[in-house]
């Protein structure tokens, strides 16, 4: 995969070509995508709206089917609450007379109440539905009277605390009792002493939630719920969800539809998934396919057309890059007459003119520069030889120093052989420092203890490239204008270092005050110039490396003169060239 991507990148011949290809293809692709997307989005909206309306209708039909038995149960409970048997039993139950509460009449009334509840329960199941579970009578002290053997109420005291919108009307509970829905109705009697209505008890009818599933059997499992106003599930297809709080934060694609019951404080909730119609999805797939085919066709046609336009530009670009490397070639096979052809012909004329200028001017300039450098080197060598021979002549007249003459001559011949040796113009900094050391040793024979020297060359700079014998004129100036003019002599320090990614060589030596130095040189800056040695070194460095580099002389307050050479850091090669 990596090789494929590499080959693909290398096959790109023109950036302009691919930019134009992408732009033209996008000009076609974008409108097609906008049209197709708009069509799909609008169709999805219409289908989704229709599906939502259908879902609301389905929910309304289910709500009506559930509201009907809820209303029937409330009406039936109103009739049951008016039965004399139940009224009599509740009144008798609340009497405090011991004889009245323990006689056979009360026991007989209790049995009659159970019979009434049994008869009414059977009638409700027959007329309303088998989902009616049971019927109970609750006294004010939470005594529950039910049919023998039936399941008792789980929270009898909760019905007494249940809020009623209308005191004499049945009210559906907002909680479940042992997993069952419950409807509660208060029974009142007349208090003759206070001439007011008195609460005698309550009738509770329970429903099996699973029995109501027939009303919403057409809904997918987990999509229809009957809840209280607090989202407590009262009935659902999954019995395990009854009694829990419904989380209406369904998936983003689901549509939450609510409807309130007309006869209870219930909520019917339908989690619908409208989606898009299958026909719309097929149409969207067809539009996407057609868009891709159209874009591909435009891409191929655009490629063929742009290739004819950009090929000459691509060839012209390659030739211009070669021209930057001084490889001049003419562009061939230009058969058109448009603006691109004019550009190619103009390039050909420019190349021919450039070649002519190079032949006439550039080569002449190179010859002039080479002659200047040779003249500088020819000046340095005789000057250096003359000064050294003069030192040998002086030392030979001194019997104590005459014995050093052979060694001096040997070192001098070695230096001179190195200076006139044909070949490269550059040497490594390590080689240049070695010959500087030999040159300093020649002068130590002359000055003895009056002259000391120190050479510092870091290992990382030993192979740096410098012009041959670039240090010798500066060391010679340090000796002539510094050490030779001081009665006590001094130390010459030569140090190489790296500063700001440049090679810096510093030559430091003590020098007499400027007033006493009448000769130009590094010991005494002169208004007429830097001295022939420093000027020659400066010219050589600028010829080789440019005007950014060169040699600079400075003097501090203590009388130390420093010559600083700045050159680029380049590694030494076997040829001795840059």
């Amino acid at each position: 995969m990596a090789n494929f991507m590499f080959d693909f990148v290398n096959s790109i011949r023109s950036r302009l070509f691919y930019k134009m290809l992408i732009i033209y293809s996008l000009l076609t692709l974008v409108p097609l995508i906008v049209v197709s997307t708009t069509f799909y989005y609008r169709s999805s909206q219409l289908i989704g709206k229709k599906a939502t309306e259908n879902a609301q209708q389905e929910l309304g039909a289910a709500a009506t089917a559930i509201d009907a038995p809820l209303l029937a149960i409330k009406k039936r409970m109103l009739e049951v609450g008016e039965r004399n048997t139940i009224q009599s039993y509740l009144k008798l139950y609340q009497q405090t007379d011991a004889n009245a509460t323990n006689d056979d009449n009360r026991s007989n009334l209790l049995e009659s109440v159970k019979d009434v509840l049994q008869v009414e329960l059977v009638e409700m199941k027959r007329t309303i539905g088998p989902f009616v579970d049971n019927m109970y009578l609750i006294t004010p002290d939470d005594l529950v009277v039910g049919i023998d053997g039936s399941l008792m109420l789980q929270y009898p005291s909760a019905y007494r605390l249940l809020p009623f919108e209308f005191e004499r009307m049945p009210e559906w509970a907002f909680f479940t009792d042992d997993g069952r829905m419950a409807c509660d109705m208060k029974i009142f009697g007349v208090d003759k002493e206070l001439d007011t209505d008195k609460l005698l008890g309550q009738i509770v009818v329970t429903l099996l939630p699973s029995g109501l599933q027939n009303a919403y059997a057409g809904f997918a499992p987990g999509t229809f719920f009957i809840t209280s106003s607090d989202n407590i599930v009262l009935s659902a297809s999954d019995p395990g969800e009854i009694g829990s709080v419904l989380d209406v934060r369904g998936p983003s694609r689901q549509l939450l539809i609510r409807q309130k019951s007309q006869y209870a404080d219930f909520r019917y909730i339908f989690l619908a998934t409208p989606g898009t119609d299958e026909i719309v999805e097929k149409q969207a797939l067809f539009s996407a396919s057609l868009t891709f085919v159209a874009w591909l066709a435009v891409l191929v046609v655009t490629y063929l057309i742009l290739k004819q336009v950009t090929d000459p530009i691509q060839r012209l670009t390659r030739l211009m890059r070669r021209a930057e490397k001084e490889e001049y070639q003419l562009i061939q096979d230009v058969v058109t007459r448009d603006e691109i052809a004019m550009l190619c012909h103009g390039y050909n004329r420019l190349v021919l003119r450039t070649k002519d200028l190079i032949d006439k001017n550039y080569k002449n300039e190179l010859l002039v520069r080479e002659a200047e450098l040779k003249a500088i080197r020819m000046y340095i060598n005789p000057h250096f030889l003359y000064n050294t021979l003069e030192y040998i002549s002086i030392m030979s007249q001194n019997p104590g120093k005459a014995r050093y003459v052979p060694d001096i001559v040997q070192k001098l011949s070695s230096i001179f052989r190195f200076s006139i040796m044909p070949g490269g113009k550059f040497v490594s900094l390590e080689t240049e420092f070695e010959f500087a050391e030999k040159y300093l040793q020649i002068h130590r024979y002359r000055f003895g203890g009056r002259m000391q020297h120190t050479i510092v060359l870091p290992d990382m700079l030993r192979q740096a490239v410098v012009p041959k014998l670039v240090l010798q004129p500066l060391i010679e100036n340090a000796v002539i204008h510094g050490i030779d003019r001081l009665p006590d002599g001094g130390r010459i320090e030569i140090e190489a270092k790296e500063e700001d990614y440049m090679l810096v060589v510093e030559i430091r030596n003590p020098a007499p005050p400027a007033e006493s130095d009448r000769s130009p040189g590094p010991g005494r800056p002169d208004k007429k110039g830097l001295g022939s040695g420093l000027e020659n070194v400066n010219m050589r460095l600028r010829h080789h490396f440019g005007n950014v580099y060169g040699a600079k002389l400075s003097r501090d307050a203590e009388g130390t003169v420093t010559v600083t050479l700045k050159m680029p850091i380049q590694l030494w090669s076997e040829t001795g060239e840059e």
Side-chain angles (χ1 to χ4, degrees), residues 520-578:
R524 178 183 179 270
D526 186 66
K527 294 182 180 180
K528 295 181 180 180
L530 298 175
S532 60
L534 187 59
E535 286 182 355
N536 288 334
V537 171
N538 193 46
M539 290 175 61
R540 291 182 65 190
L541 294 180
R542 292 191 176 186
H543 270 295
H544 289 307
F545 306 120
N547 294 332
V548 178
Y549 306 96
K552 180 182 179 181
L553 182 143
S554 62
R555 179 194 291 267
D556 60 17
E558 298 178 355
T560 300
V561 173
T562 302
V563 178
T564 304
L565 283 71
K566 291 187 177 180
M567 293 168 281
I569 297 179
Q570 298 176 344
L571 295 181
W572 168 251
S573 64
E574 293 297 331
T575 60
E577 298 293 337
E578 292 178 279

Side-chain angles (χ1 to χ4, degrees), residues 370 377 418-427 468 572 574-577:
E370 184 65 23
R377 289 196 296 269
F418 171 72
S419 67
I420 64 175
M421 183 183 299
K425 306 171 188 177
F426 299 90
V427 295
K468 183 188 293 186
W572 168 251
E574 293 297 331
T575 60
E577 298 293 337

Side-chain angles (χ1 to χ4, degrees), residues 432-441 455 471 475 494:
E432 183 70 13
F433 270 41
E434 289 177 358
F435 283 94
E437 173 75 18
K438 292 181 180 180
Y439 185 74
L440 288 170
Q441 288 176 358
I455 295 179
L471 299 181
I475 297 175
I494 305 175

Side-chain angles (χ1 to χ4, degrees), residues 45-105:
Q45 278 189 327
L46 294 176
I47 296 300
K49 183 178 180 181
K50 183 64 177 178
T52 302
E53 293 176 355
N54 294 338
Q56 290 176 341
Q57 292 177 359
E58 294 178 10
L59 181 61
T64 302
I66 297 174
D67 278 347
L70 297 182
L71 177 61
I73 290 174
K74 294 177 73 171
K75 290 181 178 180
R76 193 69 181 176
M77 291 179 67
L78 289 173
E79 297 177 2
V80 174
E82 299 294 331
R83 296 294 178 90
N84 291 331
T85 302
I86 295 178
Q87 293 272 352
S88 300
Y89 174 76
L90 292 176
K91 291 178 181 178
L92 182 63
Y93 184 83
Q94 292 191 11
Q95 292 181 6
T96 58
D97 189 310
N99 294 327
T101 57
N102 294 291
D103 60 9
D104 294 337
N105 188 26

Side-chain angles (χ1 to χ4, degrees), residues 116-376:
V116 170
L117 295 178
Q118 178 67 39
V119 171
E120 292 296 335
L121 178 62
V122 173
E123 184 64 17
M124 282 188 179
K125 288 185 177 183
R126 185 184 67 82
T127 58
I128 299 177
F131 50 82
V132 178
D133 175 59
N134 215 326
M135 183 179 293
Y136 303 94
L137 182 66
I138 305 177
T139 63
D141 58 355
D142 297 335
L143 175 66
V144 180
V145 178
I147 301 171
D148 292 338
S150 61
L151 180 65
M152 290 292 101
L153 293 175
Q154 188 176 9
Y155 309 111
S157 59
Y159 297 97
R160 178 165 42 83
L161 303 175
L162 186 69
F164 282 78
E165 185 177 1
F166 303 101
E167 289 290 337
R168 297 181 181 276
M169 295 297 295
E171 190 74 30
W172 287 93
F174 58 86
F175 54 87
T176 58
D177 192 300
D178 215 353
R180 301 171 295 177
M181 300 171 64
C183 186
D184 182 21
M185 187 188 72
K186 295 180 180 180
I187 301 177
F188 293 91
V190 179
D191 190 340
K192 296 181 180 180
E193 297 180 358
L194 301 176
D195 193 21
T196 58
D197 292 339
K198 182 179 180 181
L199 179 63
L200 301 178
Q202 295 168 274
I203 293 179
V204 175
V205 175
T206 57
L207 303 181
L208 293 174
S210 59
L212 293 175
Q213 292 181 0
N214 294 330
Y216 53 88
F219 295 88
T223 61
F224 187 91
F225 303 89
I226 301 177
T227 68
S228 66
S229 59
D230 297 326
N231 286 335
I232 298 176
V233 179
L234 303 178
S235 179
S237 57
D238 183 6
E241 295 183 353
I242 297 176
S244 63
V245 178
L246 177 63
D247 186 4
V248 296
R249 299 172 299 175
S252 58
R253 295 187 60 184
Q254 283 190 331
L255 179 65
L256 178 64
I257 304 176
R258 288 190 180 96
Q259 183 169 329
K260 188 179 183 301
S261 173
Q262 296 181 0
Y263 308 111
D265 194 17
F266 293 163
R267 302 289 188 275
Y268 304 119
I269 297 178
F270 179 29
L271 300 178
T273 307
T276 57
D277 191 72
E278 183 179 359
I279 298 177
V280 177
E281 293 181 356
K282 291 182 178 179
Q283 185 66 22
L285 181 60
F286 173 76
S287 299
S289 302
L290 184 62
T291 299
F292 177 75
V293 172
W295 171 74
L296 189 61
V298 171
L299 188 64
V300 172
V301 174
T302 306
Y303 176 86
L304 296 176
I305 295 175
L306 291 180
K307 192 172 184 297
Q308 301 298 323
V309 178
T310 57
D311 269 356
I313 298 178
Q314 175 196 351
R315 288 188 293 157
L316 184 60
T317 302
R318 288 199 299 264
L319 293 177
M320 291 180 66
R321 288 177 179 173
R322 291 183 179 180
E324 292 177 356
K325 301 177 182 178
E326 298 183 2
E327 299 177 6
Y328 300 101
Q329 295 181 4
L330 299 179
I331 186 169
Q332 306 293 337
D333 301 329
V334 180
V335 296
T336 61
R337 296 183 179 181
D338 54 13
E339 290 82 356
I340 296 178
M342 295 174 61
L343 180 62
C344 293
H345 292 313
Y347 168 78
N348 288 341
R349 290 192 296 270
L350 178 62
V351 167
L352 295 175
R353 181 61 177 167
T354 302
K355 285 184 176 180
D356 183 63
L357 291 175
I358 289 176
D359 292 338
K360 293 181 179 179
N361 300 324
Y362 182 67
K363 291 183 179 179
N364 292 334
E365 180 66 22
L366 292 179
L367 293 175
V368 171
R369 287 178 174 268
E370 184 65 23
E372 290 178 352
L373 290 176
K374 289 182 178 180
I376 292 173

Side-chain angles (χ1 to χ4, degrees), residues 464-538:
V465 174
V466 296
K468 183 188 293 186
L469 290 178
V470 71
L471 299 181
Q472 184 272 332
L474 304 177
I475 297 175
E476 185 177 7
N477 284 346
V479 174
I480 295 174
H481 302 291
I483 305 301
D484 191 26
R485 299 194 179 188
L486 294 174
D488 298 330
R491 178 182 295 274
I492 297 177
E493 298 177 356
I494 305 175
E495 180 182 4
K497 55 186 176 180
E498 179 269 332
E499 289 184 359
D500 297 330
Y501 306 103
M502 291 190 299
L503 172 62
V504 177
V505 179
E506 292 184 349
I507 302 175
R508 296 182 292 269
N509 64 276
E515 296 80 11
S516 63
D517 189 3
R518 297 183 179 180
S519 301
R524 178 183 179 270
D526 186 66
K527 294 182 180 180
K528 295 181 180 180
L530 298 175
S532 60
L534 187 59
E535 286 182 355
N536 288 334
V537 171
N538 193 46

